Amino acid sequence: MLDQGLGSWTARRARMTPHRVALRHGDAAITYAELHDRVRRAADALAARGVQAGDRVAYLGPNHPSRVEVLFAATSLGAVFVPVNWRLAAPEVAHVLGDADVTALVCAGSHAEVAAAALDGTDDVAVLVVDRGGAATGEGWEGYDEAVAAATPTPRDRPTGLDDVAVLLYTSGTTGRPKGAMLTHGNITWNAVNVVIDTDLAGDEVSLVCAPLFHVAALDMVLLPALMKGSTVILESGFDAGEVLATIERERVTCMFGVPTMFDRMAAHPDFATTDVSSLRRLLCGGAPVPLRTITTWLERDVVFMQGYGMTETAPGALFLGAERAAEKAGTAGVPSFFTDVRVVRPDGTDVDVGERGEVIVQGPNVMAGYWRRPEATAEVIRDGWFHSGDVAVIDDDGYVRIVDRIKDMIVSGGETIYPAEVEDVLFDHPDVVEVAVIGIPDPGWGEVGRAIVVRTPGSDLTGEALLAHAEGRLARYKIPKSVVFADELPRSGAGKVLKPILRDRFGEGADGGQPDPTA
Protein backbone atom coordinates (compact mmCIF):
# COMPACT_ATOMS: atom_id res chain seq x y z
CA MET A 1 0.00 0.00 0.00
CA LEU A 2 1.31 3.45 -0.94
CA ASP A 3 1.82 5.74 2.04
CA GLN A 4 -0.65 8.60 1.56
CA GLY A 5 -0.32 10.10 5.03
CA LEU A 6 1.20 13.26 6.43
CA GLY A 7 4.20 11.25 7.59
CA SER A 8 5.31 10.91 3.97
CA TRP A 9 5.29 14.64 3.24
CA THR A 10 8.83 15.43 4.39
CA ALA A 11 10.23 12.58 2.28
CA ARG A 12 8.36 13.84 -0.76
CA ARG A 13 9.56 17.41 -0.22
CA ALA A 14 13.14 16.35 0.53
CA ARG A 15 13.39 14.57 -2.81
CA MET A 16 11.96 17.57 -4.69
CA THR A 17 13.51 20.60 -2.96
CA PRO A 18 16.12 19.27 -0.49
CA HIS A 19 18.13 22.50 -0.20
CA ARG A 20 15.22 24.91 0.05
CA VAL A 21 14.66 26.33 3.55
CA ALA A 22 11.58 24.78 5.15
CA LEU A 23 11.60 26.44 8.57
CA ARG A 24 13.13 29.53 10.12
CA HIS A 25 13.03 29.98 13.87
CA GLY A 26 15.19 32.62 15.49
CA ASP A 27 18.65 32.24 13.96
CA ALA A 28 18.02 28.66 12.80
CA ALA A 29 17.28 27.81 9.16
CA ILE A 30 16.26 24.19 8.49
CA THR A 31 16.20 22.84 4.94
CA TYR A 32 13.71 20.25 3.75
CA ALA A 33 16.46 17.61 3.70
CA GLU A 34 17.41 18.48 7.28
CA LEU A 35 13.78 18.49 8.37
CA HIS A 36 13.22 15.03 6.91
CA ASP A 37 16.32 13.70 8.67
CA ARG A 38 15.14 15.15 11.98
CA VAL A 39 11.65 13.69 11.46
CA ARG A 40 13.04 10.19 10.84
CA ARG A 41 15.20 10.44 13.95
CA ALA A 42 12.30 11.73 16.03
CA ALA A 43 10.16 8.82 14.80
CA ASP A 44 12.87 6.39 15.84
CA ALA A 45 13.09 8.03 19.26
CA LEU A 46 9.31 7.82 19.76
CA ALA A 47 9.19 4.20 18.60
CA ALA A 48 11.97 3.33 21.04
CA ARG A 49 9.78 4.71 23.82
CA GLY A 50 6.83 2.52 22.95
CA VAL A 51 4.87 4.57 20.42
CA GLN A 52 3.05 2.37 17.93
CA ALA A 53 0.44 2.84 15.22
CA GLY A 54 -2.78 4.21 16.69
CA ASP A 55 -1.15 5.59 19.84
CA ARG A 56 -1.50 9.28 20.71
CA VAL A 57 1.54 11.57 20.94
CA ALA A 58 0.97 14.98 22.52
CA TYR A 59 2.94 18.21 22.27
CA LEU A 60 2.78 21.02 24.86
CA GLY A 61 4.63 24.25 24.23
CA PRO A 62 4.82 27.33 22.00
CA ASN A 63 5.56 27.30 18.28
CA HIS A 64 8.93 25.62 17.66
CA PRO A 65 10.51 23.41 14.97
CA SER A 66 10.27 20.42 17.31
CA ARG A 67 6.47 20.70 17.17
CA VAL A 68 6.62 20.27 13.38
CA GLU A 69 9.06 17.37 13.71
CA VAL A 70 6.87 15.54 16.22
CA LEU A 71 3.77 16.02 14.06
CA PHE A 72 5.40 14.36 11.05
CA ALA A 73 7.27 11.79 13.15
CA ALA A 74 4.15 10.62 14.97
CA THR A 75 2.08 10.37 11.81
CA SER A 76 4.87 8.51 10.01
CA LEU A 77 4.49 5.82 12.70
CA GLY A 78 0.74 5.72 12.16
CA ALA A 79 0.28 7.41 15.54
CA VAL A 80 -2.04 10.35 16.21
CA PHE A 81 -0.64 13.80 16.96
CA VAL A 82 -2.32 15.77 19.79
CA PRO A 83 -1.34 19.46 19.95
CA VAL A 84 -2.20 20.77 23.42
CA ASN A 85 -3.18 24.38 24.07
CA TRP A 86 -0.17 25.71 26.00
CA ARG A 87 -2.31 28.41 27.61
CA LEU A 88 -4.32 25.86 29.59
CA ALA A 89 -3.91 25.38 33.32
CA ALA A 90 -2.57 22.06 34.61
CA PRO A 91 -6.01 20.53 35.36
CA GLU A 92 -7.16 21.40 31.84
CA VAL A 93 -4.01 19.88 30.33
CA ALA A 94 -4.60 16.80 32.47
CA HIS A 95 -8.09 16.46 30.98
CA VAL A 96 -6.76 16.54 27.41
CA LEU A 97 -3.91 14.12 28.09
CA GLY A 98 -6.21 11.77 29.97
CA ASP A 99 -9.05 11.95 27.48
CA ALA A 100 -6.65 11.28 24.59
CA ASP A 101 -4.93 8.52 26.61
CA VAL A 102 -1.52 9.58 25.34
CA THR A 103 1.46 7.25 25.16
CA ALA A 104 4.07 9.99 24.87
CA LEU A 105 4.35 13.71 25.52
CA VAL A 106 6.89 16.15 24.13
CA CYS A 107 6.88 19.42 26.03
CA ALA A 108 8.85 22.64 26.08
CA GLY A 109 11.06 23.25 29.09
CA SER A 110 9.00 26.38 29.73
CA HIS A 111 5.96 24.15 30.27
CA ALA A 112 7.59 21.29 32.13
CA GLU A 113 6.09 22.38 35.45
CA VAL A 114 2.56 22.40 34.01
CA ALA A 115 3.19 19.04 32.36
CA ALA A 116 4.43 17.56 35.63
CA ALA A 117 1.33 18.76 37.47
CA ALA A 118 -0.93 17.46 34.70
CA LEU A 119 0.75 14.05 34.77
CA ASP A 120 0.87 13.80 38.56
CA GLY A 121 0.05 10.21 39.48
CA THR A 122 0.60 9.01 35.91
CA ASP A 123 3.68 6.88 35.33
CA ASP A 124 3.00 5.26 31.96
CA VAL A 125 3.59 8.28 29.70
CA ALA A 126 7.01 8.73 28.12
CA VAL A 127 8.07 12.39 28.32
CA LEU A 128 10.69 14.19 26.23
CA VAL A 129 11.55 17.80 27.08
CA VAL A 130 12.66 20.40 24.52
CA ASP A 131 15.21 22.96 25.76
CA ARG A 132 15.24 21.62 29.29
CA GLY A 133 17.69 24.16 30.65
CA GLY A 134 17.12 24.36 34.39
CA ALA A 135 13.49 23.32 34.19
CA ALA A 136 12.34 20.95 36.90
CA THR A 137 11.20 17.74 35.26
CA GLY A 138 9.51 14.55 36.30
CA GLU A 139 11.37 11.40 37.17
CA GLY A 140 12.59 9.51 34.10
CA TRP A 141 11.99 12.42 31.74
CA GLU A 142 14.52 12.77 28.94
CA GLY A 143 15.80 15.54 26.71
CA TYR A 144 14.16 15.68 23.29
CA ASP A 145 17.23 16.92 21.42
CA GLU A 146 19.45 14.30 23.04
CA ALA A 147 16.99 11.55 22.16
CA VAL A 148 16.76 12.70 18.54
CA ALA A 149 20.55 13.01 18.21
CA ALA A 150 21.04 9.47 19.51
CA ALA A 151 18.35 7.99 17.26
CA THR A 152 18.81 6.38 13.84
CA PRO A 153 17.08 7.95 10.81
CA THR A 154 15.39 4.67 9.94
CA PRO A 155 12.88 4.69 7.06
CA ARG A 156 9.41 3.65 8.22
CA ASP A 157 7.43 1.04 6.32
CA ARG A 158 4.09 1.53 8.05
CA PRO A 159 1.87 3.11 5.35
CA THR A 160 -1.12 5.20 6.37
CA GLY A 161 -4.29 5.77 4.38
CA LEU A 162 -6.32 8.92 3.98
CA ASP A 163 -9.04 7.55 6.27
CA ASP A 164 -6.66 6.98 9.19
CA VAL A 165 -6.81 9.54 12.02
CA ALA A 166 -3.80 11.85 11.91
CA VAL A 167 -4.49 14.63 14.42
CA LEU A 168 -6.69 14.92 17.48
CA LEU A 169 -7.52 18.59 17.95
CA TYR A 170 -9.40 19.62 21.05
CA THR A 171 -12.05 22.27 20.57
CA SER A 172 -11.80 25.38 22.70
CA GLY A 173 -14.45 24.16 25.10
CA THR A 174 -16.60 27.31 25.13
CA THR A 175 -19.60 25.17 26.07
CA GLY A 176 -18.19 22.62 28.48
CA ARG A 177 -15.26 20.21 28.43
CA PRO A 178 -13.17 20.30 25.24
CA LYS A 179 -13.88 17.51 22.75
CA GLY A 180 -11.25 15.94 20.51
CA ALA A 181 -12.03 16.35 16.82
CA MET A 182 -10.57 13.45 14.84
CA LEU A 183 -8.98 14.84 11.68
CA THR A 184 -7.86 12.18 9.25
CA HIS A 185 -4.90 12.31 6.88
CA GLY A 186 -7.46 12.86 4.13
CA ASN A 187 -9.19 15.72 5.96
CA ILE A 188 -5.93 17.60 6.32
CA THR A 189 -4.65 16.77 2.84
CA TRP A 190 -7.85 17.88 1.10
CA ASN A 191 -7.94 21.04 3.19
CA ALA A 192 -4.37 21.82 2.12
CA VAL A 193 -5.35 21.27 -1.52
CA ASN A 194 -8.27 23.66 -1.02
CA VAL A 195 -5.92 26.29 0.43
CA VAL A 196 -3.47 25.96 -2.44
CA ILE A 197 -6.29 26.36 -4.98
CA ASP A 198 -8.22 29.08 -3.16
CA THR A 199 -5.20 31.29 -2.36
CA ASP A 200 -2.95 30.55 -5.37
CA LEU A 201 -0.24 29.60 -2.89
CA ALA A 202 3.19 29.46 -4.55
CA GLY A 203 6.36 27.54 -3.82
CA ASP A 204 8.35 30.73 -3.23
CA GLU A 205 6.11 31.98 -0.41
CA VAL A 206 7.57 33.18 2.87
CA SER A 207 4.77 32.37 5.29
CA LEU A 208 4.77 33.79 8.81
CA VAL A 209 3.22 31.67 11.55
CA CYS A 210 2.81 33.62 14.78
CA ALA A 211 -0.64 32.33 15.71
CA PRO A 212 -0.46 29.27 17.98
CA LEU A 213 -0.12 25.92 16.22
CA PHE A 214 -2.45 24.20 18.65
CA HIS A 215 -5.15 26.03 16.69
CA VAL A 216 -6.40 24.43 13.49
CA ALA A 217 -6.13 27.58 11.34
CA ALA A 218 -2.42 28.21 11.91
CA LEU A 219 -1.70 24.51 11.50
CA ASP A 220 -3.89 23.62 8.54
CA MET A 221 -4.37 26.93 6.73
CA VAL A 222 -0.74 28.09 6.77
CA LEU A 223 1.90 25.66 8.03
CA LEU A 224 0.89 22.46 6.25
CA PRO A 225 -0.18 23.97 2.91
CA ALA A 226 3.09 25.95 2.85
CA LEU A 227 5.17 22.84 3.51
CA MET A 228 3.18 20.91 0.91
CA LYS A 229 4.13 23.58 -1.65
CA GLY A 230 7.76 23.73 -0.54
CA SER A 231 7.54 27.26 0.85
CA THR A 232 9.58 28.73 3.68
CA VAL A 233 7.77 29.02 7.01
CA ILE A 234 8.92 31.49 9.66
CA LEU A 235 7.89 30.20 13.08
CA GLU A 236 7.41 32.76 15.83
CA SER A 237 6.87 31.56 19.39
CA GLY A 238 4.17 34.13 19.96
CA PHE A 239 2.53 37.30 18.68
CA ASP A 240 3.89 40.79 19.25
CA ALA A 241 2.53 43.45 16.88
CA GLY A 242 5.78 45.41 16.61
CA GLU A 243 7.92 42.31 16.16
CA VAL A 244 5.60 40.94 13.49
CA LEU A 245 5.71 44.20 11.53
CA ALA A 246 9.52 44.20 11.73
CA THR A 247 9.65 40.56 10.59
CA ILE A 248 7.39 41.25 7.61
CA GLU A 249 9.73 44.01 6.42
CA ARG A 250 13.01 42.22 7.22
CA GLU A 251 12.12 38.77 5.88
CA ARG A 252 9.92 39.97 3.00
CA VAL A 253 6.99 37.92 4.26
CA THR A 254 4.41 37.13 1.58
CA CYS A 255 1.68 35.36 3.57
CA MET A 256 0.38 35.49 7.14
CA PHE A 257 -2.62 34.19 9.04
CA GLY A 258 -4.17 35.98 11.99
CA VAL A 259 -7.41 36.54 13.83
CA PRO A 260 -9.00 40.00 13.53
CA THR A 261 -7.60 41.19 16.86
CA MET A 262 -4.04 40.52 15.69
CA PHE A 263 -4.47 42.61 12.54
CA ASP A 264 -6.15 45.39 14.53
CA ARG A 265 -3.21 45.52 16.95
CA MET A 266 -0.73 45.64 14.09
CA ALA A 267 -2.67 48.47 12.44
CA ALA A 268 -2.77 50.39 15.74
CA HIS A 269 1.00 50.02 16.30
CA PRO A 270 3.07 53.21 15.88
CA ASP A 271 5.25 51.49 13.26
CA PHE A 272 2.36 50.44 11.02
CA ALA A 273 2.38 53.50 8.77
CA THR A 274 6.14 53.35 8.11
CA THR A 275 6.57 49.56 7.81
CA ASP A 276 7.21 48.29 4.29
CA VAL A 277 4.45 45.73 3.75
CA SER A 278 4.80 45.62 -0.04
CA SER A 279 6.02 42.00 0.03
CA LEU A 280 2.67 40.78 1.39
CA ARG A 281 0.65 38.97 -1.25
CA ARG A 282 -2.14 38.01 1.07
CA LEU A 283 -3.34 38.19 4.65
CA LEU A 284 -5.49 35.26 5.72
CA CYS A 285 -7.97 36.02 8.45
CA GLY A 286 -10.46 33.90 10.34
CA GLY A 287 -11.46 32.70 13.78
CA ALA A 288 -14.14 35.36 14.22
CA PRO A 289 -16.29 37.69 12.12
CA VAL A 290 -14.02 40.33 10.58
CA PRO A 291 -15.12 43.94 11.16
CA LEU A 292 -15.30 46.12 8.06
CA ARG A 293 -12.94 48.62 9.67
CA THR A 294 -10.25 45.95 9.90
CA ILE A 295 -10.64 45.00 6.25
CA THR A 296 -10.59 48.61 5.06
CA THR A 297 -7.47 49.47 7.05
CA TRP A 298 -5.40 46.83 5.28
CA LEU A 299 -6.94 47.36 1.86
CA GLU A 300 -5.82 50.98 2.15
CA ARG A 301 -2.24 49.67 2.39
CA ASP A 302 -2.79 47.77 -0.89
CA VAL A 303 -2.65 44.44 0.92
CA VAL A 304 -5.05 41.75 -0.29
CA PHE A 305 -7.11 40.78 2.73
CA MET A 306 -8.55 37.29 2.33
CA GLN A 307 -10.93 35.99 4.91
CA GLY A 308 -12.51 32.64 5.40
CA TYR A 309 -14.81 30.70 7.62
CA GLY A 310 -14.38 27.32 9.14
CA MET A 311 -13.96 25.41 12.37
CA THR A 312 -11.86 22.68 13.90
CA GLU A 313 -14.36 20.08 12.73
CA THR A 314 -13.86 21.03 9.06
CA ALA A 315 -10.06 21.06 9.21
CA PRO A 316 -10.92 24.09 9.06
CA GLY A 317 -11.73 25.60 5.65
CA ALA A 318 -15.37 25.77 4.56
CA LEU A 319 -15.83 29.21 2.97
CA PHE A 320 -13.20 31.46 1.43
CA LEU A 321 -13.19 35.00 0.07
CA GLY A 322 -10.38 35.16 -2.47
CA ALA A 323 -8.42 38.06 -3.88
CA GLU A 324 -10.56 38.65 -6.95
CA ARG A 325 -13.57 39.97 -5.04
CA ALA A 326 -11.99 40.68 -1.65
CA ALA A 327 -12.84 44.38 -1.73
CA GLU A 328 -16.20 44.08 -3.47
CA LYS A 329 -17.46 41.35 -1.12
CA ALA A 330 -15.75 42.59 2.04
CA GLY A 331 -17.72 41.51 5.09
CA THR A 332 -18.72 38.15 3.65
CA ALA A 333 -16.90 34.87 4.28
CA GLY A 334 -16.89 34.09 0.57
CA VAL A 335 -18.04 30.98 -1.25
CA PRO A 336 -17.38 27.29 -0.52
CA SER A 337 -13.79 26.13 -0.89
CA PHE A 338 -13.07 24.18 -4.08
CA PHE A 339 -13.61 20.63 -2.79
CA THR A 340 -16.15 21.57 -0.10
CA ASP A 341 -19.91 22.10 -0.23
CA VAL A 342 -21.78 24.50 2.04
CA ARG A 343 -25.51 25.09 2.44
CA VAL A 344 -27.51 27.51 4.57
CA VAL A 345 -30.69 25.83 5.75
CA ARG A 346 -33.87 26.36 7.70
CA PRO A 347 -34.69 24.23 10.77
CA ASP A 348 -36.53 21.78 8.48
CA GLY A 349 -33.38 21.28 6.38
CA THR A 350 -34.53 23.15 3.29
CA ASP A 351 -32.29 25.76 1.71
CA VAL A 352 -32.95 29.39 2.64
CA ASP A 353 -33.78 32.08 0.10
CA VAL A 354 -31.43 34.96 -0.66
CA GLY A 355 -31.20 37.23 2.38
CA GLU A 356 -32.93 34.74 4.69
CA ARG A 357 -31.10 33.59 7.81
CA GLY A 358 -30.31 29.92 8.34
CA GLU A 359 -27.77 27.48 9.76
CA VAL A 360 -24.51 26.75 7.96
CA ILE A 361 -23.96 23.07 7.18
CA VAL A 362 -20.85 21.63 5.54
CA GLN A 363 -20.02 18.49 3.56
CA GLY A 364 -16.73 17.43 1.99
CA PRO A 365 -13.53 15.42 2.38
CA ASN A 366 -12.29 17.93 4.96
CA VAL A 367 -15.10 17.22 7.47
CA MET A 368 -13.83 15.37 10.55
CA ALA A 369 -14.35 11.67 11.19
CA GLY A 370 -16.09 12.55 14.47
CA TYR A 371 -15.38 13.39 18.10
CA TRP A 372 -12.92 11.13 19.91
CA ARG A 373 -14.81 8.49 21.88
CA ARG A 374 -18.03 10.54 21.76
CA PRO A 375 -20.40 8.92 19.29
CA GLU A 376 -23.45 10.72 20.71
CA ALA A 377 -21.83 14.13 20.31
CA THR A 378 -20.76 13.15 16.78
CA ALA A 379 -24.31 12.12 15.87
CA GLU A 380 -25.61 15.48 17.10
CA VAL A 381 -23.53 17.48 14.62
CA ILE A 382 -23.09 15.13 11.64
CA ARG A 383 -26.47 14.25 10.20
CA ASP A 384 -27.10 12.72 6.79
CA GLY A 385 -23.47 13.37 5.90
CA TRP A 386 -23.61 17.10 6.69
CA PHE A 387 -21.81 18.82 9.57
CA HIS A 388 -24.14 21.22 11.38
CA SER A 389 -22.12 24.21 12.52
CA GLY A 390 -24.52 26.03 14.81
CA ASP A 391 -23.63 29.26 12.98
CA VAL A 392 -26.20 31.55 11.38
CA ALA A 393 -25.63 33.04 7.92
CA VAL A 394 -27.29 34.70 4.95
CA ILE A 395 -26.50 34.31 1.24
CA ASP A 396 -26.49 37.15 -1.29
CA ASP A 397 -27.52 37.08 -4.96
CA ASP A 398 -24.03 35.94 -6.02
CA GLY A 399 -23.88 33.04 -3.57
CA TYR A 400 -21.52 34.77 -1.12
CA VAL A 401 -22.16 33.84 2.49
CA ARG A 402 -22.12 36.30 5.38
CA ILE A 403 -21.87 34.81 8.86
CA VAL A 404 -24.33 36.53 11.15
CA ASP A 405 -23.84 34.87 14.52
CA ARG A 406 -23.95 31.74 16.63
CA ILE A 407 -27.38 30.19 17.17
CA LYS A 408 -26.61 29.92 20.88
CA ASP A 409 -25.59 33.60 21.08
CA MET A 410 -28.83 34.95 19.59
CA ILE A 411 -30.83 37.29 21.83
CA VAL A 412 -34.63 37.17 21.71
CA SER A 413 -36.02 40.45 23.00
CA GLY A 414 -39.76 40.99 23.00
CA GLY A 415 -40.14 38.36 20.31
CA GLU A 416 -37.52 40.01 18.07
CA THR A 417 -34.27 38.18 17.25
CA ILE A 418 -31.05 40.13 17.77
CA TYR A 419 -27.77 38.90 16.32
CA PRO A 420 -24.92 40.19 18.53
CA ALA A 421 -22.33 40.17 15.72
CA GLU A 422 -24.39 42.73 13.77
CA VAL A 423 -24.56 45.01 16.82
CA GLU A 424 -20.88 44.50 17.62
CA ASP A 425 -19.86 45.54 14.12
CA VAL A 426 -21.67 48.89 14.50
CA LEU A 427 -20.27 49.59 17.99
CA PHE A 428 -16.77 48.57 16.93
CA ASP A 429 -16.89 51.27 14.24
CA HIS A 430 -16.57 53.90 17.00
CA PRO A 431 -12.94 55.11 16.98
CA ASP A 432 -12.58 54.77 20.77
CA VAL A 433 -13.61 51.10 20.82
CA VAL A 434 -10.80 48.52 20.81
CA GLU A 435 -12.95 45.44 21.46
CA VAL A 436 -16.64 44.84 22.00
CA ALA A 437 -18.92 41.91 22.70
CA VAL A 438 -22.68 41.88 23.17
CA ILE A 439 -24.49 39.41 25.40
CA GLY A 440 -28.11 38.94 26.43
CA ILE A 441 -29.18 39.51 30.03
CA PRO A 442 -32.58 38.78 31.62
CA ASP A 443 -35.19 41.54 31.54
CA PRO A 444 -38.61 41.34 33.23
CA GLY A 445 -40.37 43.21 30.45
CA TRP A 446 -38.65 41.98 27.29
CA GLY A 447 -37.34 38.58 28.35
CA GLU A 448 -33.82 39.52 27.26
CA VAL A 449 -32.02 42.73 26.35
CA GLY A 450 -28.53 43.37 25.07
CA ARG A 451 -25.54 44.45 27.12
CA ALA A 452 -22.29 45.61 25.51
CA ILE A 453 -18.95 44.82 27.13
CA VAL A 454 -16.42 47.29 25.74
CA VAL A 455 -12.66 47.79 25.85
CA ARG A 456 -11.84 51.46 25.22
CA THR A 457 -8.70 52.91 23.68
CA PRO A 458 -6.18 53.94 26.39
CA GLY A 459 -7.02 57.34 27.82
CA SER A 460 -10.48 57.47 26.26
CA ASP A 461 -13.35 59.02 28.24
CA LEU A 462 -16.00 57.39 26.08
CA THR A 463 -19.25 56.90 27.97
CA GLY A 464 -21.91 54.31 27.47
CA GLU A 465 -24.37 57.04 26.55
CA ALA A 466 -22.10 58.33 23.77
CA LEU A 467 -21.46 54.83 22.43
CA LEU A 468 -25.14 53.94 22.27
CA ALA A 469 -25.87 57.29 20.61
CA HIS A 470 -23.34 56.23 17.96
CA ALA A 471 -25.64 53.29 17.15
CA GLU A 472 -28.75 55.45 16.79
CA GLY A 473 -29.97 55.47 13.21
CA ARG A 474 -27.64 52.62 12.27
CA LEU A 475 -29.52 49.89 14.12
CA ALA A 476 -33.17 49.32 14.84
CA ARG A 477 -33.95 50.63 18.34
CA TYR A 478 -34.65 47.15 19.70
CA LYS A 479 -31.18 45.99 18.63
CA ILE A 480 -29.31 48.73 20.53
CA PRO A 481 -28.02 47.41 23.89
CA LYS A 482 -29.71 48.73 26.99
CA SER A 483 -26.47 48.97 28.99
CA VAL A 484 -22.70 49.16 28.58
CA VAL A 485 -19.97 47.71 30.78
CA PHE A 486 -16.35 48.76 30.34
CA ALA A 487 -13.63 46.16 30.84
CA ASP A 488 -9.85 46.01 30.56
CA GLU A 489 -9.95 43.08 28.15
CA LEU A 490 -12.22 40.39 26.72
CA PRO A 491 -11.53 36.73 27.51
CA ARG A 492 -10.60 34.81 24.37
CA SER A 493 -9.93 31.22 23.40
CA GLY A 494 -6.70 30.13 21.73
CA ALA A 495 -8.50 30.55 18.41
CA GLY A 496 -9.13 34.22 19.17
CA LYS A 497 -12.85 33.80 19.78
CA VAL A 498 -14.47 35.79 22.57
CA LEU A 499 -15.58 33.45 25.34
CA LYS A 500 -19.15 34.61 25.82
CA PRO A 501 -20.04 32.11 28.55
CA ILE A 502 -17.32 33.74 30.67
CA LEU A 503 -18.67 37.18 29.81
CA ARG A 504 -22.17 36.13 30.85
CA ASP A 505 -20.83 34.85 34.19
CA ARG A 506 -18.71 37.94 34.74
CA PHE A 507 -20.88 40.73 33.37
CA GLY A 508 -24.39 39.30 33.17
CA GLU A 509 -27.25 40.35 35.39
CA GLY A 510 -26.30 39.86 39.03
CA ALA A 511 -22.63 39.17 38.25
CA ASP A 512 -19.86 40.78 40.28
CA GLY A 513 -17.40 41.37 37.43
CA GLY A 514 -18.47 44.89 36.51
CA GLN A 515 -21.14 47.52 36.78
CA PRO A 516 -23.10 49.04 33.90
CA ASP A 517 -22.12 52.55 32.87
CA PRO A 518 -24.61 54.74 34.73
CA THR A 519 -24.89 57.05 31.73
CA ALA A 520 -26.02 54.26 29.38
Side-chain angles (χ1 to χ4, degrees), residues 359-376:
E359 182 182 11
V360 177
I361 62 175
V362 186
Q363 185 180 68
N366 55 312
V367 174
M368 68 170 183
Y371 292 119
W372 173 252
R373 293 177 175 173
R374 297 197 182 186
E376 297 85 2

Side-chain angles (χ1 to χ4, degrees), residues 154-228:
T154 307
R156 296 288 152 187
D157 59 359
R158 198 283 179 187
T160 50
L162 294 181
D163 292 334
D164 293 335
V165 178
V167 177
L168 197 57
L169 267 169
Y170 278 78
T171 60
S172 55
T174 57
T175 56
R177 287 277 195 172
K179 301 183 293 291
M182 297 184 289
L183 300 184
T184 66
H185 292 263
N187 293 154
I188 295 170
T189 299
W190 280 108
N191 182 81
V193 171
N194 275 344
V195 172
V196 171
I197 294 172
D198 293 346
T199 68
D200 289 329
L201 198 70
D204 65 348
E205 304 285 353
V206 178
S207 296
L208 176 61
V209 177
C210 52
L213 283 169
F214 60 72
H215 179 231
V216 68
L219 179 66
D220 287 358
M221 294 297 291
V222 184
L223 176 73
L224 291 177
L227 295 179
M228 171 187 272

Side-chain angles (χ1 to χ4, degrees), residues 393-410:
V394 294
I395 303 177
D396 69 15
D397 291 324
D398 297 321
Y400 282 71
V401 180
R402 179 167 60 89
I403 305 301
V404 177
D405 223 316
R406 288 286 296 171
I407 289 175
K408 292 181 180 179
D409 288 340
M410 290 189 305

Side-chain angles (χ1 to χ4, degrees), residues 428-445:
F428 181 73
D429 194 49
H430 192 289
D432 284 348
V433 173
V434 177
E435 295 182 283
V436 59
V438 173
I439 60 173
I441 62 171
D443 181 84

Side-chain angles (χ1 to χ4, degrees), residues 41-229:
R41 291 178 182 275
D44 188 72
L46 291 173
R49 286 154 183 82
V51 175
Q52 301 178 29
D55 289 341
R56 274 72 60 200
V57 177
Y59 189 100
L60 175 65
N63 296 352
H64 189 271
S66 59
R67 173 187 284 270
V68 182
E69 295 165 6
V70 174
L71 162 65
F72 286 119
T75 52
S76 74
L77 296 171
V80 179
F81 181 64
V82 185
V84 183
N85 183 341
W86 51 262
R87 294 171 178 157
L88 298 179
E92 296 169 309
V93 173
H95 166 73
V96 172
L97 299 180
D99 188 71
D101 191 16
V102 302
T103 298
L105 168 68
V106 178
C107 74
S110 58
H111 287 69
E113 185 175 345
V114 172
L119 291 172
D120 186 34
T122 303
D123 56 8
D124 58 350
V125 177
V127 181
L128 296 172
V129 184
V130 180
D131 295 332
R132 280 193 296 180
T137 60
E139 184 178 351
W141 291 15
E142 303 173 81
Y144 172 81
D145 289 319
E146 294 85 347
V148 170
T152 302
T154 307
R156 296 288 152 187
D157 59 359
R158 198 283 179 187
T160 50
L162 294 181
D163 292 334
D164 293 335
V165 178
V167 177
L168 197 57
L169 267 169
Y170 278 78
T171 60
S172 55
T174 57
T175 56
R177 287 277 195 172
K179 301 183 293 291
M182 297 184 289
L183 300 184
T184 66
H185 292 263
N187 293 154
I188 295 170
T189 299
W190 280 108
N191 182 81
V193 171
N194 275 344
V195 172
V196 171
I197 294 172
D198 293 346
T199 68
D200 289 329
L201 198 70
D204 65 348
E205 304 285 353
V206 178
S207 296
L208 176 61
V209 177
C210 52
L213 283 169
F214 60 72
H215 179 231
V216 68
L219 179 66
D220 287 358
M221 294 297 291
V222 184
L223 176 73
L224 291 177
L227 295 179
M228 171 187 272
K229 282 292 292 184

Side-chain angles (χ1 to χ4, degrees), residues 269-292:
H269 194 276
D271 294 340
F272 179 67
T274 57
T275 298
D276 181 1
V277 296
S278 61
S279 63
L280 286 170
R281 299 171 185 168
R282 63 189 64 78
L283 295 178
L284 307 178
C285 189
V290 187
L292 186 58

